[in-house]
Amino acid sequence: MLKYIWTELRLMLKTVTPAQAIAHELIHAEHDLLRAETGVEYAQSMVTYNKNRVKRLKAYLGKTEEIV
């Protein structure tokens, strides 16, 4: 973490070429993409989990209504 902060500080304090600025921005864009993809995977898992949960609860409710 400290290495990352040090690298960021060095980049802010020195003049960078356009190619270096683009490479730096690309790294950040790739990290943002990975975070977004992780969020999508998590959200899809939650949708699947809740669909299965609703199906299970409806089946359970149907069984209890048949008994009554």
Side-chain angles (χ1 to χ4, degrees):
M1 183 68 173
L2 289 174
K3 184 178 180 182
Y4 174 76
I5 293 171
W6 177 249
T7 303
E8 290 293 317
L9 282 173
R10 253 188 323 158
L11 284 173
M12 286 190 288
L13 297 175
K14 76 174 191 171
T15 304
V16 295
T17 66
Q20 289 172 324
I22 290 169
H24 186 255
E25 187 173 343
L26 177 60
I27 289 169
H28 285 283
E30 288 172 337
H31 286 173
D32 291 342
L33 176 61
L34 287 172
R35 273 191 231 103
E37 287 175 339
T38 298
V40 168
E41 289 173 4
Y42 174 79
Q44 187 59 48
S45 295
M46 290 304 298
V47 167
T48 302
Y49 165 76
N50 282 308
K51 282 183 178 180
N52 291 335
R53 183 176 167 207
V54 166
K55 192 184 307 181
R56 176 180 50 83
L57 292 171
K58 283 182 178 181
Y60 182 77
L61 185 61
K63 289 179 184 177
T64 57
E65 287 177 351
E66 290 174 1
I67 295 172
V68 175

